[in-house]
């Protein structure tokens, strides 16, 4: 049973110097240092369990998010965990409706990332107290209880609570078999880590060869900065993987709408399944135009990693603006808001292919997509979860990949907990790693 009053919340700025090796680089983020605002909550309970939560950021952005977490802390301190999860919708709403902080959101940007970090820690603690990995906590939860975690405000025009209940009820059929299937075969994944934009052709070739050897069959390549480079890199990777394996492309918001269509027409010969983030993540109608223009070429549009909230996802779905929906465990308001998006995607029949290109994102989002398969979508058609091969060693319960699939985590919690030693070493700016990299820094 869930218990304890929250007695402490700490937040730390943890950064990894990934930009030095070009890891994670794309057409818009050329020097990404994979980072996290890392939240730990403690309770007055004697069990000593802590809830750990992250939100993914890049380098300097982390200090701003840390500030926002601190600004939200008073909503969490001294709360009884039973009261929080007993009426999670209200707690979610309390955090997202802070009369002063919502002005710099609402439910978007820094303040929403901070909300995600805090709520991810609450979910981690809840799952740990129940002794279950988060995906299993969700799978076993009574549908009414699950729905009581979701704030339906702004989405009832496309999904009412009753409709959501029906979806979950239908999802009960065959659940046991699907859970078994997950435990045996895992959830299919694709890899992005062969083809970051900052990698040389030699690196790309080496990583692609290694990935093929490891059994990967789905690959994503970064595009968007230079057409001739894209053509060369896409040819290289398509030649290596052959015509049957799946290739996706990701432009990270680089183009205008007509430019996206034109550019992708030139890359169509490499048969991409989707173009991801072709333009501004806020341009719902632009995505719809691109989707329509690229459909005859057999190219879908994928987006979501920088989609602010459930409202934008709602409109993307309403406008037929995406063919693959990419939830993100740290951009939306934690599990609570992601649940609403999974349910809307089910209603619209759009496959969810989560985003995981960042530190810790693979660890978290695997729980959501495994739950989605078992309890909501019931299907693997056109579905796969992103995987990047970076920084897993810093987590206490790193992801387990077998035959290019995510194996369901077994440890209790949300797999959010980082190794204390890693946190200390990478804390910015005083951790050992940064002290070496920033020699001239003053205290
Ligand atoms: C800066 C990051 O690595 C992004 O390039 C990454 O999240 C990417 O968009 C992805 O889809 O994995
Ligand atoms: Mg992307």
């Amino acid at each position: 049973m869930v218990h304890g009053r929250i007695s402490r919340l700490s937040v730390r700025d943890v950064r990894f110097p990934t930009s030095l090796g070009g890891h994670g680089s794309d057409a818009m983020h050329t020097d990404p240092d994979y980072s996290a605002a890392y939240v730990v909550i403690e309770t007055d309970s004697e069990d000593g369990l802590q809830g750990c939560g992250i939100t993914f950021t890049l380098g300097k952005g982390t200090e701003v998010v840390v500030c926002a977490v601190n600004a939200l802390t008073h909503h969490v301190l001294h709360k009884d965990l039973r009261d929080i999860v007993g009426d999670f919708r209200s707690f979610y709403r309390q955090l997202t409706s802070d009369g002063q902080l919502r002005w710099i959101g609402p439910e978007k940007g820094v303040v929403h990332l901070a909300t995600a970090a805090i709520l991810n820690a609450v979910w981690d603690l809840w799952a740990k107290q129940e002794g279950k990995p988060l995906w299993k906590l969700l799978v076993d939860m009574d549908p009414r209880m699950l729905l009581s975690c979701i704030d339906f405000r702004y989405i009832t025009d496309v999904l009412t609570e009753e409709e959501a209940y029906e979806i979950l009820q239908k999802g009960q059929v065959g659940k046991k078999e699907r859970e078994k299937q997950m435990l045996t075969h895992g959830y299919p994944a694709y890899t992005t880590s062969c083809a970051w934009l900052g990698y040389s052709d030699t690196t790309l070739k080496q990583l692609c060869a290694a990935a093929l050897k490891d059994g990967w069959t789905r690959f994503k390549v970064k595009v968007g900065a230079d057409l001739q480079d894209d053509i060369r890199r896409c040819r290289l990777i398509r030649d290596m993987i052959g015509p049957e394996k799946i290739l996706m492309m990701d432009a990270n918001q680089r183009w205008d709408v007509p430019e996206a269509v034109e550019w992708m027409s030139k890359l169509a010969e490499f048969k991409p399944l989707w173009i991801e983030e072709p333009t501004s993540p806020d341009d719902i109608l632009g995505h719809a135009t691109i989707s329509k223009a690229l459909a005859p070429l057999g190219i879908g549009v994928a987006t979501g990693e920088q989609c602010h909230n459930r409202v934008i996802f709602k409109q993307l779905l309403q406008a037929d603006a995406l063919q693959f929906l990419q939830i993100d465990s740290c951009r939306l308001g934690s599990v609570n808001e992601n649940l609403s998006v999974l349910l809307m995607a089910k209603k619209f029949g759009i496959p969810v292919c989560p985003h995981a290109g960042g530190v810790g994102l693979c660890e978290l989002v695997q729980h959501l997509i495994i739950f989605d398969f078992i309890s909501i979508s019931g299907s693997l058609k056109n579905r796969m979860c992103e995987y990047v091969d970076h920084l897993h060693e810093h987590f206490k319960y790193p992801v387990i990949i077998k035959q290019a699939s995510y194996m369901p985590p077994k440890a209790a919690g949300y797999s959010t907990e980082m190794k204390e030693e890693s946190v200390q070493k990478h804390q910015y700016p005083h951790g050992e790693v940064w002290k070496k990299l920033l020699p001239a820094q003053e205290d």
Side-chain angles (χ1 to χ4, degrees):
M1 262 304 271
V2 68
H3 58 271
R5 198 168 279 278
I6 295 173
S7 52
R8 186 162 180 266
L9 185 152
S10 67
V11 56
R12 285 179 284 178
D13 178 336
V14 185
R15 305 187 194 181
F16 299 90
T18 41
S19 62
L20 297 177
H23 314 304
S25 55
D26 63 51
M28 296 296 261
H29 312 98
T30 47
D31 59 349
D33 281 337
Y34 274 10
S35 308
Y38 182 57
V39 170
V40 177
I41 55 178
E42 291 164 33
T43 71
D44 59 8
S45 154
E46 278 170 12
D47 63 15
L49 292 176
Q50 297 182 328
C52 304
I54 62 162
T55 196
F56 171 59
T57 49
L58 295 181
K60 242 187 150 12
T62 321
E63 63 202 50
V64 190
V65 180
V66 164
C67 213
V69 169
N70 283 323
L72 283 165
T73 300
H74 65 283
H75 289 291
V76 186
L77 283 181
H78 314 304
K79 287 263 155 57
D80 196 309
L81 197 60
R82 238 174 330 200
D83 295 338
I84 293 180
V85 308
D87 188 4
F88 215 155
R89 177 182 302 165
S90 296
F91 185 66
Y92 174 90
R93 216 181 247 196
Q94 186 187 335
L95 279 185
T96 53
S97 308
D98 180 297
Q100 296 179 350
L101 290 172
R102 80 179 298 286
W103 198 260
I104 57 167
E107 293 184 80
K108 58 165 112 27
V110 173
V111 80
H112 211 39
L113 292 171
T115 303
I118 292 172
L119 291 178
N120 284 339
V122 172
W123 280 97
D124 181 52
L125 184 56
W126 185 5
K128 278 178 179 161
Q129 288 195 355
E130 299 286 353
K132 292 179 182 181
L134 180 105
W135 66 266
K136 180 71 173 151
L137 175 76
L138 298 174
V139 163
D140 291 348
M141 201 180 285
D142 172 67
R144 286 283 176 210
M145 178 79 185
L146 258 179
L147 295 176
S148 77
C149 301
I150 300 175
D151 187 352
F152 282 89
R153 180 154 67 184
Y154 312 135
I155 59 169
T156 52
D157 51 332
V158 305
L159 184 78
T160 63
E161 192 165 340
E162 274 322 292
E163 282 175 300
Y165 181 69
E166 273 168 37
I167 292 174
L168 289 175
Q169 280 300 92
K170 283 197 188 127
Q172 302 292 312
V173 184
K175 222 167 85 168
K176 281 258 152 336
E177 291 71 33
R178 288 195 293 277
E179 183 173 334
K180 222 168 125 201
Q181 184 182 339
M182 282 294 103
L183 289 167
T184 319
H185 302 290
Y187 197 93
Y190 73 86
T191 178
T192 305
S193 32
C194 305
W196 297 113
L197 207 65
Y199 284 175
S200 67
D201 288 2
T202 315
T203 305
L204 198 155
K205 270 192 230 164
Q206 273 166 3
L207 292 173
C208 190
L212 283 165
K213 219 166 138 216
D214 286 344
W216 290 93
T217 58
R218 307 169 180 96
F219 299 79
K220 190 161 87 185
V221 55
K222 292 284 170 183
V223 296
D226 179 279
L227 182 61
Q228 291 317 313
D229 273 355
D230 288 353
I231 292 174
R232 193 189 69 251
R233 285 157 50 83
C234 290
R235 176 161 297 133
L236 197 159
I237 195 162
R238 183 45 97 192
D239 283 350
M240 284 190 80
I241 68 177
E244 300 306 326
K245 296 200 173 58
I246 294 174
L247 183 63
M248 282 82 67
M249 298 179 185
D250 188 354
N252 288 87
Q253 313 161 20
R254 181 68 183 239
W255 304 314
D256 280 350
V257 173
E259 195 183 9
V261 175
E262 210 179 303
W263 200 298
M264 284 313 296
S265 308
K266 306 236 167 71
L267 297 181
E269 63 171 297
F270 305 110
K271 300 268 173 269
L273 175 68
W274 76 52
I275 176 64
E276 180 172 323
E277 291 204 299
T279 192
S280 161
D282 298 353
D283 190 354
I284 296 155
L285 298 182
H287 279 82
T289 304
I290 297 167
S291 291
K292 213 166 159 197
L294 296 183
L297 300 175
I299 304 172
V301 167
T303 192
E305 69 185 64
Q306 295 218 353
C307 182
H308 296 307
N309 51 45
R310 64 194 178 286
V311 187
I312 306 286
F313 274 120
K314 177 186 81 171
Q315 290 202 18
L316 285 163
L317 290 164
Q318 285 176 307
D320 288 329
L322 79 181
Q323 288 68 52
F324 300 91
L325 186 152
Q326 301 177 299
I327 54 163
D328 182 293
S329 55
C330 294
R331 178 157 308 267
L332 292 186
S334 187
V335 180
N336 312 64
E337 196 171 27
N338 270 301
L339 287 174
S340 69
V341 175
L342 293 175
L343 287 159
M344 284 195 287
K346 170 71 181 177
K347 178 163 176 195
F348 282 85
I350 293 293
V352 176
C353 299
H355 171 242
V359 56
L361 297 182
C362 299
E363 271 69 21
L364 275 71
V365 90
Q366 58 176 338
H367 289 269
L368 302 181
I369 201 62
I370 288 169
F371 160 73
D372 179 62
F373 172 69
I374 298 172
S375 297
I376 299 182
S377 78
S379 166
L380 292 179
K381 188 159 180 256
N382 280 331
R383 288 167 168 86
M384 54 193 146
C385 185
E386 183 175 17
Y387 174 73
V388 296
D389 196 9
H390 309 298
L391 308 171
H392 301 293
E393 65 278 17
H394 301 294
F395 286 82
K396 202 161 163 191
Y397 310 105
V399 289
I400 296 174
I401 300 284
K402 274 197 194 145
Q403 318 240 289
S405 295
Y406 279 92
M407 300 314 290
K410 298 236 162 80
Y414 196 3
S415 309
T416 37
E417 190 164 346
M418 294 179 90
K419 291 180 184 160
E420 184 53 31
E421 196 197 344
S422 293
V423 174
Q424 286 188 16
K425 269 196 187 156
H426 294 88
Q427 229 177 304
Y428 189 88
H430 298 300
E432 201 180 293
V433 166
W434 290 105
K435 274 205 166 132
K436 276 192 206 137
L437 287 168
L438 307 167
Q441 160 195 287
E442 298 288 324
D443 272 325

